[in-house]
Amino acid sequence: RAYMLRLWPVFCFWAAAGYEPEQEIQVSMNKAWPFSNPTETYQYYDFPFCKPATVMPHFMTLGQVLRGDRLVNSLYRMHFKRNVRRTVVCTKKFEAEDIEALKSAIDDNYMFELFVGDLPIDRPFGVKSTLEPTAQKKEGEASNERYFLMNYLDFIVGYNGVDMVSANVTRELNMEHLVDITDWQEGMTVQFSYSVDWAELKHIPPSKALELQLKSTMPHGHHNMDIHWLAIINSFVLMLLILSLFLLIIIRVVRSDLSRYLQIPDEELNAVE
């Protein structure tokens, strides 16, 4: 696992020169996936979220391409060491099918990933909650399950000198970060907003920033690495079995042909095998 984490910086772009004061930091939206199957990925803007007037792909390194990243521009604007109060980036009008798509994604525990500079952050689309637990509902009674969509990202970004060494969005979701989308209504709109707070983190060296960021992401990350390695080993063993069977068939065909055309005794051919 540590080996895999050390390899990541080799493939990712690294801002070794640091940032100038007030320099813009690129915020990129990446991909979305169901929590139970991280290999099933979709573009973030395949879902009905706010998006720029023109969606432009961002430059990706070889490692990001091999990892299946799909970096595109976002509506979030960030500058080095500049705090941003809560700011609305767009007001999205939802149709009934949009709400159903988001509710289905929340049911499947969909996650999305974005990059602040070269530091990845992943978060859920939203949460599902039961407001009135316990009592068993009678037939025909309305469901007490409520769907909440995350519509506010409060970025907390750390720096050490001229380097950005940490980027997070609070994991403690409350009603400040969520909006109820359980019941669609005609003309329903949702505001999406963000804020940025910078903090000095002298204990994080720039050389360790990416590795620590990866370790602090979702806890299923290491488990996924184990699953990927197991899949690679299984594929390799299966390939060896198929290759062995193929070679065995070739040897028997060649042996038969040699025996037929060169009239070599079977005993000698068996000795060769």
Side-chain angles (χ1 to χ4, degrees), residues 22-35:
E22 298 292 323
Q23 181 179 343
E24 184 173 2
I25 296 174
Q26 180 173 278
V27 180
S28 307
M29 307 310 298
N30 193 12
K31 56 192 176 184
W33 67 91
F35 183 87

Side-chain angles (χ1 to χ4, degrees), residues 202-228:
K202 292 184 177 180
H203 64 283
I204 300 180
S207 60
K208 293 289 186 179
L210 184 56
E211 182 176 348
L212 294 175
Q213 184 76 15
L214 293 173
K215 289 181 178 179
S216 67
T217 54
M218 293 302 293
H220 68 273
H222 297 310
H223 177 63
N224 291 338
M225 287 183 185
D226 293 340
I227 294 176
H228 292 163

Side-chain angles (χ1 to χ4, degrees), residues 162-177:
V162 297
D163 294 291
M164 182 176 64
V165 295
S166 173
N168 289 289
V169 174
T170 181
R171 295 185 184 277
E172 299 178 1
L173 298 179
N174 52 50
M175 293 308 300
E176 181 185 14
H177 306 90

